[in-house]
Amino acid sequence: GDSVTQMEGPVTLSEEAFLTINCTYTATGYPSLFWYVQYPGEGLQLLLKATKADDKGSNKGFEATYRKETTSFHLEKGSVQVSDSAVYFCALTSTSGTYKYIFGTGTRLKVLA
Amino acid sequence: EAGVTQFPSHSVIEKGQTVTLRCDPISGHDNLYWYRRVMGKEIKFLLHFVKESKQDESGMPNNRFLAERTGGTYSTLKVQPAELEDSGVYFCASSQRGISNYGYTFGSGTRLTVV
């Protein structure tokens, strides 16, 4: 079945460091891919998405490119801030129902000033 | 507009007790979803309502879980009787369209601890 694998956290970085959070997936067909973020005390928020191969999603300085050949959707940011501290979830649209997501386990990011 | 609201934010109950979680979706959103994250693992789909009808409840773990959405507005998720493995964070989400490509609005979750 469909699945998402994320790098385990926590990831601890200094402010202005470069961020990469790895995400790979297994799916039949061509799912859409997403990154959601959960800031402390808040709900999950859609950060960015890509709906087809080679698409690049971007938002708030974060980027991720849909790589079909490597079945990956790694999240990157060139210079993180303390306010980026949160839990990041990679997800895909389930091929068994376009109304539901398959999520990864989440990666906690802590950015130190 | 108000977001998706979940009550309570935290609940601690003893094994064997009953707990009811509530979700108030964004007004006008016909689609409502429940998800659960257990012990830092992946967030898993539980079920999907369209208005008051259950469209897909394939993710419900067992018959101790009962979800309702009377009148197509707010939804409740009852766990009876609760077991230790039910501990986790329960998320609710809503959307106008039942297509995840557009993204859903999630609530901040209810953290359930069964002791």
Side-chain angles (χ1 to χ4, degrees):
Chain A
D2 301 341
S3 66
V4 174
T5 301
Q6 281 184 244
M7 61 186 290
E8 290 203 20
V11 174
T12 303
L13 296 173
S14 298
E15 207 165 24
E16 299 183 3
F18 184 86
L19 168 71
T20 300
I21 300 178
N22 290 337
C23 171
T24 57
Y25 68 90
T26 301
T28 55
Y30 303 98
S32 295
L33 303 174
F34 306 82
W35 279 98
Y36 272 84
V37 58
Q38 185 181 22
Y39 298 103
E42 298 184 15
L44 292 163
Q45 301 174 24
L46 179 63
L47 181 60
L48 53 84
K49 67 179 183 181
T51 57
K52 61 183 186 296
D54 300 324
D55 267 3
K56 178 186 285 187
S58 61
N59 186 24
K60 299 182 180 179
F62 291 89
E63 292 183 340
T65 301
Y66 189 144
R67 301 286 188 199
K68 183 170 175 289
E69 63 278 10
T70 55
T71 61
S72 65
F73 193 55
H74 304 321
L75 182 68
E76 297 182 335
K77 187 175 185 182
S79 176
V80 293
Q81 305 300 311
V82 172
S83 57
D84 293 326
S85 298
V87 182
Y88 293 81
F89 294 91
C90 185
L92 58 80
T93 305
S94 171
T95 51
S96 66
T98 57
Y99 48 84
K100 63 183 173 184
Y101 291 109
I102 304 296
F103 283 95
T105 54
T107 302
R108 181 174 297 278
L109 170 66
K110 185 174 182 180
V111 180
L112 305 177
Chain B
E1 63 180 2
V4 175
T5 308
Q6 292 187 244
F7 306 97
S9 58
H10 293 83
S11 180
V12 180
I13 62 171
E14 293 185 350
K15 176 181 172 181
Q17 288 186 323
T18 298
V19 63
T20 300
L21 313 181
R22 173 169 168 150
C23 170
D24 285 49
I26 292 174
S27 178
H29 281 190
D30 288 340
N31 293 275
L32 187 148
Y33 316 84
W34 285 96
Y35 283 79
R36 177 174 75 165
R37 188 185 189 207
V38 173
M39 290 293 291
K41 295 186 178 180
E42 65 271 26
I43 301 172
K44 286 192 172 181
F45 170 84
L46 295 179
L47 86 159
H48 171 212
F49 282 101
V50 177
K51 297 185 180 179
E52 66 275 10
S53 299
K54 293 176 187 175
Q55 292 296 110
D56 181 355
E57 51 183 333
S58 62
M60 296 287 265
N62 51 60
N63 59 11
R64 295 186 293 102
F65 289 75
L66 175 64
E68 295 181 322
R69 192 181 183 198
T70 306
T73 54
Y74 70 91
S75 174
T76 58
L77 181 64
K78 180 188 289 187
V79 185
Q80 180 182 30
E83 297 290 344
L84 299 179
E85 63 265 25
D86 300 332
S87 295
V89 181
Y90 290 77
F91 292 101
C92 175
S94 72
S95 68
Q96 284 186 316
R97 303 185 192 190
I99 302 173
S100 60
N101 273 7
Y102 295 97
Y104 298 156
T105 303
F106 281 83
S108 55
T110 293
R111 181 175 295 277
L112 174 65
T113 303
V114 183
V115 298

